[in-house]
Amino acid sequence: MSNGTMTTELDAALEKHRTELTGYCYRMLGSSFEAEDAVQDTLVRAWRSYDTFEGRSSLRSWLYRIAHNVCLDMLTAGNKRARPMDLTDSTPLAQAALSPRPDHTWLEPMPDARVLPSTADPAEAAVAKESVRLAFMAALQQLPPKQRAVLILREVLAWKAAEVAELLGTSVASVNSALQRARATLAEREERADAAAVSDPLDEEQQKLLDRYVTAFEGYDMTALTALLHEDAVMTMPPFDLWLAGPADITGFMTTLGAACANSRLLPVNANGLPGFAHYKPDPETGGYEPWAVQVLEISDGRITGFHCFLDTKRWFPLFDLPLRLEAEPDEVQEGV
């Protein structure tokens, strides 16, 4: 077998693990871009050091060990990515101000296709989706790196304690202890459970709710939108640390500081195991639509409970393979929309 053929086969063998490794690194780091950088670094390190791979563990386990070490190197700064509600109290509409924080502050969104490997097992697919939802991801970021890794490997990826111990270079007793502490920490956090209420796939009522949401948002019908929001609904807008609670403040914001979003267009996306939309707002100069946000929605009991808008479109729209503008439809141009 020629060196070229061997190189091609090794590239293919490594590449087939990219999606699941990205999922692991994303859960560890809370950043979509850092996760992809970590996986690229992992695959380069694996390719360069493949001659040292002795086959005592599977190629997959070996790659996870490299990826884990890359993540630990990236976590040495001690930064814990978060959502706005993890950092501040909600802001009354009357005091709303848009104060940005640096990119490394925020838990970042991630397209499902980049972190969720295809599987024929519905239960396995459901666990994978639940483990990248925003509330769970935010909780993971509060755990020390070892506990975070143990929880992901044991409860999300269903590794055996002995396999985790080998990867981390520790004992089974240490792994079990770390898992117990991680579970206790998550139980203490008063996490909203509504994100887990999203069916996989969406059931008929949830799909109807999203259809009504699109109609209400694109029509900027605040009465209709209010009817879709849970009384405890929250709205976040990273990179701004402002977050709003309750339909009155959310719709009040949309008709004041957010009034330029009237007559927007929404395109569906799948992000963090949740329904979402690419939000394009009208561009008055061209008559088309410019990218404004990636929206990720949380649903429970037939209402929208979380409305999370990630505004850094120069980063998010290419990540989600979204167009950087939409042209106006011919009838919109005729009507002067």
Side-chain angles (χ1 to χ4, degrees):
M1 184 180 295
S2 68
N3 287 339
T5 301
M6 291 179 62
T7 298
T8 301
E9 289 183 354
L10 177 56
D11 287 342
L14 297 176
E15 189 63 31
K16 75 176 185 178
H17 295 284
R18 180 181 292 274
T19 301
E20 65 171 312
L21 289 171
T22 305
Y24 178 75
C25 294
Y26 176 59
R27 295 178 184 101
M28 285 292 292
L29 299 170
S31 164
S32 36
F33 293 104
E34 287 184 1
E36 297 205 325
D37 287 347
V39 171
Q40 191 60 34
D41 191 3
T42 296
L43 297 181
V44 169
R45 290 189 192 188
W47 197 92
R48 289 175 175 169
S49 62
Y50 186 70
D51 289 344
T52 68
F53 175 55
E54 299 175 350
R56 288 180 294 181
S57 62
S58 67
L59 177 64
R60 179 175 182 248
S61 296
W62 184 61
L63 288 171
Y64 266 93
R65 184 179 300 112
I66 298 172
H68 176 74
N69 289 329
V70 170
C71 288
L72 290 186
D73 289 344
M74 297 176 74
L75 285 169
T76 52
N79 180 56
K80 295 180 179 179
R81 290 178 177 268
R83 304 167 299 171
M85 65 275 280
D86 300 322
L87 302 178
T88 65
D89 292 330
S90 62
T91 307
L93 178 60
Q95 300 171 20
L98 299 178
S99 304
R101 296 201 189 190
D103 289 340
H104 63 72
T105 307
W106 303 116
L107 178 64
E108 297 179 348
M110 178 65 100
D112 285 358
R114 291 181 182 255
V115 292
L116 300 178
S118 57
T119 175
D121 184 340
E124 185 178 321
V127 168
K129 279 195 170 187
E130 289 171 8
S131 69
V132 293
R133 288 175 179 163
L134 295 173
F136 185 78
M137 285 289 299
L140 276 180
Q141 305 314 301
Q142 302 306 309
L143 297 174
K146 180 181 177 180
Q147 291 182 29
R148 196 181 311 176
V150 168
L151 188 78
I152 295 166
L153 292 166
R154 291 283 285 121
E155 302 217 325
V156 177
L157 301 178
W159 285 34
K160 296 176 181 177
E163 294 172 326
V164 177
E166 182 180 357
L167 184 147
L168 300 182
T170 188
S171 66
V172 169
S174 177
V175 166
N176 290 336
S177 176
L179 179 60
Q180 188 175 11
R181 292 196 304 274
R183 286 171 173 167
T185 299
L186 295 193
E188 288 171 4
R189 286 175 59 89
E190 296 179 353
E191 288 299 331
R192 295 157 58 86
D194 36 278
V198 180
S199 299
D200 180 30
L202 295 178
D203 63 33
E204 184 177 356
E205 289 304 311
Q206 290 170 340
Q207 189 57 59
K208 287 180 179 178
L209 173 64
L210 293 180
D211 292 342
R212 292 196 297 271
Y213 169 76
V214 171
T215 300
F217 192 95
E218 291 187 341
Y220 235 54
D221 183 341
M222 294 301 121
T223 300
L225 188 59
T226 297
L228 304 179
L229 295 174
H230 192 278
E231 62 182 7
D232 295 325
V234 298
M235 177 182 182
T236 68
M237 291 164 283
F240 302 115
D241 58 15
L242 168 76
W243 65 282
L244 300 162
D249 277 2
I250 292 172
T251 57
F253 178 89
M254 292 174 65
T255 54
T256 53
L257 292 177
C261 292
N263 301 310
S264 289
R265 292 273 305 278
L266 298 180
L267 299 182
V269 298
N270 294 309
N272 291 86
L274 295 163
F277 296 94
H279 172 193
Y280 294 82
K281 74 172 185 176
D283 182 346
E285 294 185 4
T286 66
Y289 299 87
E290 60 182 345
W292 187 246
V294 169
Q295 301 179 359
V296 182
L297 304 186
E298 294 170 328
I299 298 172
S300 181
D301 298 329
R303 292 288 185 272
I304 294 168
T305 55
F307 174 41
H308 306 290
C309 305
F310 295 90
L311 301 180
D312 191 349
T313 55
K314 290 182 179 179
R315 302 175 77 216
W316 306 132
F317 275 55
L319 182 71
F320 281 81
D321 297 321
L322 291 163
L324 293 178
R325 70 171 282 106
L326 296 180
E327 300 301 331
E329 298 292 337
D331 57 339
E332 293 175 336
V333 175
Q334 294 172 7
E335 295 170 8
V337 174

